Amino acid sequence: MNIQTMKIEIDKLINKICRNVVGGELTQLGALFNSCFLDGLSQIIYSGECAKHPSLLISVDAELCWIDKAPYAKLCSGIPFDNKVELGDAMFIFEEKLIVAGSLIVLNERKKAFILQAKITDKEAQICNVPIANYDKRNNKDSTFKEFELYRKWSSFDIYYASNTKKIQEYNVNLINGSSTDPCRFAWYGVAASTRIPNLSSSWPCRWMIGKAVMNTPCNKTLGELLSGFYQNHIIDGSQVGEYFEGASNSNPAWEKVVHHVLVRSKQLGKPSYFPTNATTQNRIVSSHKRFIAPQLIQLFSSFGLNGRIITCKLLNYLLSNSHYPLHYVVSRSLKKSIPPRLLRLLFDDVLDILQPFYPVTLRLNGIHKPRKFPLIRVTVQRQAVENFNIDDKS
């Protein structure tokens, strides 16, 4: 899927989910970041990838976690402000790994992330400019001022886990180092209308509009364009969307520390007080799981005569010699009866069912999540290369 098509599809998804939503920042974030968004995002980004790369099987795991008290930053120099500021309102983390199917040998991987600073406006009829909310540089406790000053330069800072603690979790984080000289890649501004927009216009085509962390930059890009640029490594307004923290030649070790502390903090919070008393979960995670298989491979399995009754020696030999091969179908009852128990044990539960196309989605909601200021959206992708699967001999 090209970047323009992906942008349009993500914008449609956002507009559908956020239709008729009114209210403040937390309400708007809570409306967008849910299981439907995770599922739809995975479908848009990867459903066409198998057609583009027919030798791959793609497994996508998306996870959302609401963080009550996200990490805070405090500038080491104390200039231009000397108190803590939240890192942002959302963090998108993308992790992709390409492996050889059956061997788990990693061919390459890349991991990147960016922060979204969300704002609400009542000026739906006009394009908003960064930093969107009132900016008072005379007041060094003003949250809008602190956020923008952090983003525009990313001066060295310490990381804290809460606003009321003196304990520093990470000292002197310096993001602007090596090849990472553009501060705009780490965080972007997003704006949504506080009331419903009856008709999306050409200047406001998406419920969430985006702008760079540069003073007076217009928020004239859509969140769909930002996310498509993030996943496809496309430059937006002259800046990379997100920073690599592992797996790339220009990975930023300081950014890896930031992502690490966001993940650690999300796991520390435990069961929130607003959960039902009978809930057994200890966290607040919504997850989506999808697998995609190339049409050529579906035809391949069909060509082996898998009609619910027979399996050929060629495929049996392949399956037996590749017991860790993650087949993306569930076997039918009639086919199960014809397969020896030993083979079923080797294949575990991931064997194929030609009778049902396999695009499964499992959504897990641990308890009843209540939207808070810092959702963590994490998409983990595993691509499995299967070029060695030769189907010429069907004997």
Side-chain angles (χ1 to χ4, degrees):
M1 184 181 295
N2 62 48
I3 189 169
Q4 183 63 21
T5 302
M6 184 181 291
K7 164 198 172 304
I8 292 171
E9 291 302 313
I10 295 177
D11 286 341
K12 286 181 180 178
L13 173 67
I14 293 169
N15 290 338
K16 180 180 179 180
I17 293 174
C18 297
R19 182 180 295 128
N20 297 328
V21 176
V22 298
E25 182 179 291
L26 293 181
T27 301
Q28 299 281 2
L29 286 176
L32 176 60
F33 297 131
N34 56 43
S35 58
C36 294
F37 180 69
L38 293 182
D39 178 28
L41 191 62
S42 297
Q43 182 73 28
I44 290 168
I45 296 172
Y46 293 101
S47 61
E49 283 291 282
C50 282
K52 183 179 178 182
H53 303 287
S55 64
L56 296 181
L57 300 175
I58 300 176
S59 177
V60 182
D61 289 284
E63 184 176 272
L64 182 152
C65 181
W66 289 96
I67 305 173
D68 283 336
K69 298 297 181 183
Y72 288 77
K74 184 176 181 181
L75 299 181
C76 296
S77 65
I79 301 172
F81 61 90
D82 60 359
N83 39 30
K84 302 186 186 88
V85 60
E86 289 183 339
L87 282 176
D89 290 315
M91 174 176 274
F92 287 82
I93 302 174
F94 174 62
E95 302 168 310
E96 183 177 60
K97 182 184 295 183
L98 175 63
I99 68 172
V100 176
S103 69
L104 301 182
I105 297 174
V106 178
L107 299 177
N108 58 66
E109 61 181 327
R110 60 190 178 116
K111 300 179 181 181
K112 62 191 299 195
F114 78 91
I115 291 170
L116 180 71
Q117 177 60 243
K119 298 292 182 182
I120 300 299
T121 182
D122 57 2
K123 301 176 181 179
E124 298 93 340
Q126 65 186 60
I127 296 175
C128 295
N129 295 324
V130 171
I132 302 169
N134 291 330
Y135 174 87
D136 187 358
K137 63 182 180 181
R138 297 167 298 182
N139 179 7
N140 66 4
K141 293 185 179 181
D142 176 66
S143 61
T144 301
F145 168 78
K146 291 189 295 181
E147 292 159 0
F148 181 75
E149 289 299 319
L150 177 68
Y151 295 162
R152 79 180 185 91
K153 292 178 63 177
W154 284 107
S155 300
S156 297
F157 60 93
D158 298 329
I159 293 178
Y160 297 76
Y161 278 1
S163 60
N164 59 355
T165 182
K166 294 182 179 179
K167 182 178 180 180
I168 299 176
Q169 299 293 334
E170 192 73 50
Y171 289 88
N172 194 27
V173 178
N174 180 21
L175 297 182
I176 308 301
N177 59 72
S179 61
S180 304
T181 58
D182 179 14
C184 292
R185 66 177 63 190
F186 300 100
W188 294 72
Y189 278 85
V191 58
S194 58
T195 58
R196 181 177 65 88
I197 304 175
N199 296 301
L200 295 169
S201 65
S202 58
S203 61
W204 200 301
C206 181
R207 182 63 170 176
W208 282 91
M209 299 299 293
I210 302 298
K212 285 178 66 171
V214 174
M215 182 64 78
N216 295 322
T217 295
C219 295
N220 57 3
K221 301 293 189 295
T222 69
L223 182 55
E225 184 170 354
L226 190 75
L227 290 177
S228 59
F230 179 57
Y231 293 118
Q232 295 197 23
N233 297 319
H234 185 77
I235 300 298
I236 304 294
D237 270 356
S239 292
Q240 176 179 299
V241 182
E243 175 80 324
Y244 287 102
F245 61 90
E246 190 176 331
S249 59
N250 59 341
S251 295
N252 189 330
W255 189 233
E256 182 181 17
K257 294 178 182 179
V258 175
V259 176
H260 165 76
H261 286 293
V262 170
L263 293 173
V264 168
R265 186 59 179 148
S266 70
K267 295 176 182 178
Q268 288 182 346
L269 295 168
K271 185 169 66 176
S273 60
Y274 49 76
F275 270 38
T277 55
N278 61 348
T280 58
T281 178
Q282 295 299 310
N283 51 34
R284 73 294 298 269
I285 296 174
V286 182
S287 65
S288 171
H289 176 70
K290 294 182 75 69
R291 285 174 178 168
F292 302 98
I293 184 169
Q296 289 90 330
L297 290 179
I298 296 176
Q299 295 171 6
L300 179 154
F301 292 136
S302 299
S303 70
F304 277 105
L306 288 172
N307 56 11
R309 291 177 299 170
I310 61 173
I311 232 177
T312 64
C313 294
K314 172 72 174 183
L315 185 55
L316 274 173
N317 289 335
Y318 180 80
L319 295 177
L320 284 169
S321 61
N322 294 272
S323 59
H324 295 292
Y325 183 77
L327 292 173
H328 299 290
Y329 285 81
V330 180
V331 76
S332 66
R333 291 182 179 178
S334 59
L335 187 57
K336 279 182 179 177
K337 293 178 181 179
S338 66
I339 298 179
R342 186 174 71 88
L343 177 58
L344 283 177
R345 286 195 298 271
L346 284 172
L347 301 179
F348 303 100
D349 293 324
D350 287 311
V351 288
L352 56 154
D353 182 1
I354 290 305
L355 304 178
Q356 295 181 356
F358 190 84
Y359 287 94
V361 181
T362 52
L363 298 176
R364 184 182 78 252
L365 173 59
N366 292 341
I368 301 173
H369 80 286
K370 182 178 180 181
R372 296 291 176 142
K373 285 206 74 171
F374 200 110
L376 170 72
I377 300 90
R378 187 178 185 181
V379 177
T380 304
V381 180
Q382 183 169 282
R383 297 166 179 260
Q384 304 181 59
V386 294
E387 285 116 333
N388 293 329
F389 199 154
N390 188 341
I391 64 171
D392 293 334
D393 181 10
K394 300 180 184 179
S395 59

